[in-house]
Amino acid sequence: MNKIVTLAGDGIGPEIMAAGLSVLKAASKNTTFTYEIDPRDFGGIAIDHFGNPLPEETLNAAKQADAILLAAIGHPKYNNAPVRPEQGLLALRKALGLYANVRPLKIHKKLQNLSPIRNVENVDFVVIRELTGGIYFGKHELNADNAIDINEYSADEIRRIIRFAFETARGRDKRVTSVDKQNVLATSKLWHKIADEIAQEYPDVQLEHQLVDSCAMLLITHPQKFDVIVTENLFGDILTDEASSLAGTLGVMPSSSHGDQGVSLYEPIHGSAPDIEGKGIANPVSMVLSIAMMLRESFHEIALAERIENAVEQAFSKDIFTQDLGGKATTAEMTAAIIDHL
């Protein structure tokens, strides 16, 4: 029996989590895939109940799980609070060693008209972002007249994320784009050097380097050129948000986070959308596709994952869209349409 810890979190999180689990239940019916759900408080709701966005009970359950599903985290009511929900996510990533964030971007044909960019046909790439190092986890010092943020990477941290990217590329089009700012930053010079070294271990995979500003431009002007992009934490945070804009909506974008061993985490890339909380109009597709990623990457249930992804495509092909996609379907109606097409 596979144990899945669910972290519904804040805002629309509980709504899309319920929708995603409904699809999982329907898809796995009459199959050999069995699972149990262990729901836990996380984020803002955990602050309300425990004073901590990542309670010890939640962390212990996550460590013992076979996979973790996170729906959404964050809420404006904590903006000026001493403890914010997002701190729980950083702590969870660090505690579980989730160093590799995977964000695929494949634009559904029926959604191409939503993109603000004209040239989005045949876009299919994945961004691998280093998740537990860099400036987000360095020293931070804020004074009255100056501030300091330390960006630090070890060679081992860089090697493992670069290798992860090359292994990912072997299952795709065998092309890796390593993104850095080596013309200015010492950490990027080290990153660039190690990427070249790791490339020697993968003669079947092509490596190219891009400066981060050049990559940002090419994501808009020629997104088809990319297969696997790998980069450090800060650059990855920015580039993945830019890349998501190519699809015209965050509502269909899944992601996963992995460590060297142990449990992996799956989540939509969008936020908690508190402005539509409780209205029943949230788009559940990113949650549903995150569950498909979980089935493929943690449980190796390839056919089951493809069945769910195909059902989403079929729902779109019948012009069933939530409001963020220009349609009128509610969360429940979108979920029912996906289940109908399984």
Side-chain angles (χ1 to χ4, degrees):
M1 182 73 72
N2 298 296
K3 181 180 178 182
I4 303 170
V5 165
T6 58
L7 310 174
D10 310 314
I12 62 170
E15 300 168 61
I16 62 171
M17 179 66 78
L21 293 179
S22 295
V23 173
L24 176 60
K25 181 178 179 180
S28 58
K29 187 177 180 180
N30 298 324
T31 72
T32 58
F33 180 71
T34 59
Y35 64 93
E36 61 177 351
I37 300 297
D38 182 10
R40 296 285 175 165
D41 282 350
F42 184 65
I45 189 69
I47 294 174
D48 293 344
H49 290 169
F50 300 97
N52 183 348
L54 179 59
E56 186 176 351
E57 294 87 346
T58 298
L59 179 57
N60 289 338
K63 288 179 177 179
Q64 296 167 16
D66 296 303
I68 304 167
L69 288 175
L70 168 62
I73 194 169
H75 199 281
K77 75 177 185 178
Y78 302 103
N79 284 352
N80 297 314
V83 179
R84 293 174 57 96
E86 294 82 0
Q87 291 173 254
L89 185 54
L90 292 176
L92 183 64
R93 289 170 177 167
K94 199 71 172 178
L96 299 178
L98 303 177
Y99 69 88
N101 181 233
V102 180
R103 290 191 177 185
L105 179 67
K106 185 175 182 180
I107 301 177
H108 303 276
K109 195 170 186 66
K110 276 283 191 172
L111 303 183
Q112 288 180 4
N113 64 310
L114 297 177
S115 177
I117 308 302
R118 293 177 184 174
N119 178 29
V120 291
E121 290 187 359
N122 302 315
V123 171
D124 183 2
F125 62 82
V126 60
V127 182
I128 311 293
R129 168 190 169 193
E130 201 290 322
L131 210 55
T132 59
I135 201 165
Y136 289 171
F137 290 93
K139 176 186 175 183
H140 305 285
E141 182 179 318
L142 176 61
N143 302 308
D145 298 317
N146 76 307
I148 300 172
D149 296 294
I150 302 297
N151 186 29
E152 183 177 3
Y153 269 108
S154 70
D156 285 343
E157 287 176 316
I158 298 171
R159 286 191 189 99
R160 68 181 183 180
I161 194 68
I162 297 290
R163 281 200 179 97
F164 189 101
F166 273 88
E167 291 292 337
T168 301
R170 274 185 165 170
R172 293 176 51 88
D173 199 34
K174 295 182 171 61
R175 292 181 292 117
V176 170
T177 302
S178 176
V179 177
D180 57 46
K181 190 65 176 172
Q182 63 89 26
N183 58 337
V184 177
L185 302 178
T187 48
S188 284
K189 294 180 190 299
L190 181 62
W191 184 285
H192 192 104
K193 172 178 173 289
I194 290 176
D196 282 337
E197 292 173 359
I198 298 299
Q200 302 307 308
E201 303 172 14
Y202 296 86
D204 56 322
V205 178
Q206 175 187 343
L207 170 68
E208 71 164 352
H209 296 279
Q210 284 286 340
L211 295 175
V212 63
D213 39 358
S214 173
C215 181
M217 177 188 69
L218 288 169
L219 279 173
I220 299 301
T221 59
H222 191 30
Q224 293 86 355
K225 84 177 297 292
F226 296 109
D227 179 36
V228 174
I229 299 171
V230 60
T231 191
E232 57 128 278
N233 206 340
L234 175 61
F235 297 160
D237 193 5
I238 296 168
L239 290 178
T240 51
D241 279 2
E242 181 196 8
S244 69
S245 70
L246 296 175
T249 175
L250 299 178
V252 298
M253 305 286 290
S255 75
S256 61
S257 298
H258 305 277
D260 282 326
Q261 56 188 357
V263 65
S264 296
L265 181 146
Y266 302 86
E267 60 177 315
I269 74 165
H270 60 66
S272 59
D275 57 316
I276 61 171
E277 177 183 357
K279 295 182 179 180
I281 59 173
N283 188 345
V285 169
S286 53
M287 188 76 245
V288 170
L289 294 180
S290 294
I291 288 173
M293 285 186 77
M294 175 193 71
L295 290 168
R296 176 180 286 107
E297 296 175 9
S298 281
F299 300 120
H300 310 294
E301 293 281 349
I302 309 302
L304 197 52
E306 290 178 348
R307 188 178 174 207
I308 290 174
E309 291 162 347
N310 289 338
V312 171
E313 288 279 6
Q314 288 296 314
F316 286 158
S317 72
K318 297 293 172 59
D319 293 326
I320 301 171
F321 305 114
T322 46
Q323 289 185 20
D324 62 309
L325 305 179
K328 298 180 179 179
T330 63
T331 307
E333 289 167 345
M334 189 76 224
T335 305
I338 295 169
I339 292 173
D340 285 345
H341 288 95
L342 286 171

